[in-house]
Amino acid sequence: MHRTILIGIALVGTGTFLVAEAQSLSPVPSHSSAQRAVLDRYCVVCHNQQIATAGLALDTMNVEEINEGAAVWEKVLRKLQGRAMPPAGMPRPDEATYESLTTYLEQELDSAQPNPGRPVLHRLNRAEYTNAIRDLLALEIDGTSLLPTDDSGYGFDNIGDVLSVSPMLLERYMSAARKISRRAVGEHTGRPDSETHLVPRFLGQEDRTSDELPFGSRGGIAVRHFFPLDGDYLIKVRLKTSYDGSAVLGLSEPHQLDIHLDRRKVGQFTMGGAEMRGPRLSPFGENAPDAHLEVRIPVAAGPHLVGVSFLKEAWAREQMIQPTFSSMEREEPGVGSVTISGPYNARGPGETPSRSRIFICQPTSSQDQEPCATKIISTLARHAYRRPIADEELPSLLAPFYIGRDEGEFEEGIELALQRILVSPEFLFRIEQDPEDIEPGTAYPIHDLELASRLSFFLWSSIPDDTLVDLATRGQLKDPTVLEKQVRRMLVDPRSEALVTNFAGQWLYLRNIAMVAPDLGEFPEFDENLRSALQQETELFFGSMLAEDRSVADLLDADYTFLNERLARHYDIENVYGSHFRRVPLGHQERHGLLGKGSILTSTSYANRTSPVLRGKWILENILGTPPPPPPPNVPELPEPTGDGQPLTMREQMEAHRANPACAACHSRMDPLGFALENFDAIGGWRNTEAGGPIDSSGVLPDGTQFDGASGLRKVLLDRREAFVLNVTEKLLTYALGRGVEYYDAPAIRSVMRQAAPDDYRWSSLITGIVKSTPFQMRRSEGP
């Protein structure tokens, strides 16, 4: 049976439109000359001006040698797979022809010689540096206070091309190394200093604010504080004040405040009552109502959990109100800050986790110092440099030790040697070297030790552990069975939480939640409790996908989420009580999967309204992997949201952009996706009306596909689940390699997907496939 083919291929973003002449063909198998003839007919140019605008002409492409123009044909293949062309209203080929042609192109492109690319020199970003210090020295640090924010590229901040090095950044690394080495070794002047931990002003304190605070408590703060020496420390609490800072609130009734150290009560205070009713209470001076809220206690050196909270009165739940901007003045006390000062009467560095990690031996005489120092420093360097240390490297590693020891004590020498390691390029950079005498531009397998580093920074955002380094040193890590076993071991290790905080945190815009600032006039119910809950929900949701090794596609339609009482109230879900998060089944289909997550809905909105454009663009980029091009210059702002005295819906306001031919091509793709989510307001709450009328959440894609609401859009996305899985695979590979995905990576990506398909695209299958792929295990030597 003959079929008439009329196919248009659009390279969206370039303005190129190519249409084949009508041709009558019978279905043909892959790799046939007839298929190549069909492709040849695609290259008929229908409008020379459009080609000139795009700077691309397919009529000059050699369809006999697909791989000569692989970069172009990969774009063509992506458009065919997504059924993006021909444009709506034009005749389309049947599915058999689509499938036949895409299969042919895939097989031709996949037959090319592997090109693994050549990642550039990779500096550790701030998150990797923080995790590396944790795993090297058993020391938790605040990387945000030591190092600046890293630039991002391709959606992630671990991209080698953008991790530049400036003189100022080098100075920050040197300063960080000095501070870290002193803290890790336990060197301290002994003079007291102080650190204040602030409670966010808009944090509601009607309920328990942290899982690390006692049950039956409310408000307050829990912080992990590092105590530098054994000694006495002063913990002082200041109460929350009115918005202008002129008065302490809520002491007309008695309240009990507790201070805990490592969950053990070390202080208890009762304040408030009839004697404090009447005039506003000043927070200043020695007679301030919180002036006595302090306790001095002995504390052993090292990290400890400090908790400060109120006892939750039995009547508190009955009087609990929804916190709002205006209710910050309510008559109810809260914790404003906790200041920890010390040490007083310092008694030495004690036994901290970092000292136990560093001092794996102790010299008993002067003759023992050099052998012990050699053991300590070579062990630290092996872990920091992610490789064995050669004997000829020891003199330079030990040189700072001799200087420090001669000027002070044994431990001061170790501190200087550690500081030298922390500023070494071997620690700060992931260095991969070409083999000697290799031809320029040659693809070659990377060394096992380099593979160990790639693997650990991919899954843990940190340095490899002893198991990985030992396997790599013995040349066993590349064994497929060994490698797969290590991937599965690493995925169940707590350090794989980095995939949630770093990979998902950037891919799903979770890091943006900390910066959103909804208009409190429009959304007075938004507070820090809700901000934190929105982020934690999606982190727990994504983490469950990894922990349970579910299908990647389950991200779209999972019928459960994680809620606490604050977020459940925001979602209008009943029978969820308390501040702790728990897994909750979802009856409301609109909330299923990522499309119903308040964190994403809030991050893709403006301060005072929703944005179908931002939400649609997010879906195109992060779900379908088909980002729209940048908007044309001088795009007008949306009209004021009134017309004839009546408020306009967001759909009505967007009509202006869709009516503009320069905007319509992209908005016809973005807007319908965003309109499907219009029942969710700008902070992810559910609504049924807008501008006094019912919300229209229907949409029509350019190919004519119709849907209604988030559940309808979800069904459309699930019908195209391979496109979603492909996008996730590309995002994972980008994150794993620390570089953007190029056209020559496409064969490897397709191979990963084919291998994961029989396992329903489970996370472990995709991740293992990436780790075993050519781009991950190979590298191209420097050259043309």
Side-chain angles (χ1 to χ4, degrees), residues 75-127:
K75 295 179 182 179
V76 172
L77 176 60
R78 178 64 67 92
K79 294 300 174 185
L80 288 173
Q81 289 173 327
R83 308 299 189 259
M85 287 303 290
M90 295 186 65
R92 304 174 75 85
D94 57 31
E95 282 300 309
T97 304
Y98 265 128
E99 292 296 329
S100 180
L101 290 171
T102 56
T103 300
Y104 167 69
L105 280 176
E106 280 189 9
Q107 293 176 344
E108 287 295 307
L109 291 166
D110 290 352
S111 66
Q113 289 293 321
N115 181 354
R118 182 178 174 82
V120 300
L121 187 67
H122 188 121
R123 172 177 62 81
L124 302 193
N125 66 17
R126 188 168 67 183

Side-chain angles (χ1 to χ4, degrees), residues 130-184:
T130 300
N131 292 343
I133 294 297
R134 176 200 65 200
D135 296 338
L136 175 66
L137 301 175
L139 182 67
E140 297 283 352
I141 64 169
D142 178 13
T144 60
S145 67
L146 296 173
L147 298 172
T149 303
D150 296 295
D151 293 331
S152 295
Y154 304 98
F156 299 103
D157 63 3
N158 67 338
I159 304 301
D161 287 337
V162 300
L163 289 172
S164 57
V165 180
S166 66
M168 184 176 68
L169 181 59
L170 288 177
E171 179 57 38
R172 294 288 291 272
Y173 274 122
M174 294 174 67
S175 174
R178 287 192 293 269
K179 294 177 181 178
I180 291 168
S181 58
R182 284 200 301 266
R183 173 170 288 192

Side-chain angles (χ1 to χ4, degrees), residues 113-387:
Q113 289 293 321
N115 181 354
R118 182 178 174 82
V120 300
L121 187 67
H122 188 121
R123 172 177 62 81
L124 302 193
N125 66 17
R126 188 168 67 183
E128 292 168 339
Y129 182 90
T130 300
N131 292 343
I133 294 297
R134 176 200 65 200
D135 296 338
L136 175 66
L137 301 175
L139 182 67
E140 297 283 352
I141 64 169
D142 178 13
T144 60
S145 67
L146 296 173
L147 298 172
T149 303
D150 296 295
D151 293 331
S152 295
Y154 304 98
F156 299 103
D157 63 3
N158 67 338
I159 304 301
D161 287 337
V162 300
L163 289 172
S164 57
V165 180
S166 66
M168 184 176 68
L169 181 59
L170 288 177
E171 179 57 38
R172 294 288 291 272
Y173 274 122
M174 294 174 67
S175 174
R178 287 192 293 269
K179 294 177 181 178
I180 291 168
S181 58
R182 284 200 301 266
R183 173 170 288 192
V185 170
E187 188 275 327
H188 192 274
T189 62
R191 291 192 298 270
D193 54 20
S194 64
E195 181 177 357
T196 298
H197 304 274
L198 299 175
V199 179
R201 172 164 290 277
F202 296 114
L203 180 75
Q205 298 192 38
E206 299 80 14
D207 205 347
R208 193 164 66 125
T209 55
S210 169
D211 288 343
E212 294 183 308
L213 291 173
F215 284 106
S217 69
R218 69 162 187 85
I221 186 175
V223 296
R224 294 197 175 275
H225 183 85
F226 187 87
F227 295 79
L229 299 175
D230 289 350
D232 296 341
Y233 291 84
L234 184 70
I235 302 175
K236 182 172 181 58
V237 180
R238 299 304 305 266
L239 296 180
K240 193 171 186 176
T241 63
S242 57
Y243 187 69
D244 61 3
S246 64
V248 175
L249 304 176
L251 295 181
S252 59
E253 299 291 338
H255 297 274
Q256 177 180 313
L257 181 79
D258 297 328
I259 300 176
H260 290 81
L261 180 73
D262 295 330
R263 296 184 170 84
R264 178 176 59 87
K265 186 183 294 186
V266 295
Q268 178 177 311
F269 304 89
T270 299
M271 71 202 78
E275 70 277 8
M276 292 191 177
R277 295 172 186 168
R280 290 162 68 89
L281 302 171
S282 171
F284 306 110
E286 60 182 17
N287 294 321
D290 56 5
H292 67 293
L293 301 181
E294 61 183 38
V295 60
R296 178 166 169 165
I297 55 174
V299 184
H304 295 276
L305 177 66
V306 177
V308 178
S309 59
F310 287 94
L311 178 68
K312 187 172 184 179
E313 295 82 0
W315 45 262
R317 177 171 295 281
E318 298 177 6
Q319 297 191 357
M320 187 187 303
I321 61 173
Q322 175 70 46
T324 65
F325 178 77
S326 59
S327 71
M328 292 298 107
E329 303 292 323
R330 63 191 177 281
E331 291 293 323
E332 188 172 55
V335 175
S337 67
V338 176
T339 300
I340 302 173
S341 305
Y344 303 97
N345 300 326
R347 294 181 286 275
E351 277 304 314
T352 64
S354 58
R355 284 180 59 84
S356 298
R357 178 71 58 86
I358 293 170
F359 293 106
I360 55 178
C361 63
Q362 285 286 352
T364 57
S365 65
S366 58
Q367 289 78 18
D368 294 338
Q369 287 190 358
E370 185 171 330
C372 182
T374 301
K375 183 177 181 180
I376 290 173
I377 294 168
S378 62
T379 300
L380 288 171
R382 179 180 186 271
H383 290 134
Y385 298 170
R386 288 88 74 182
R387 60 172 177 78

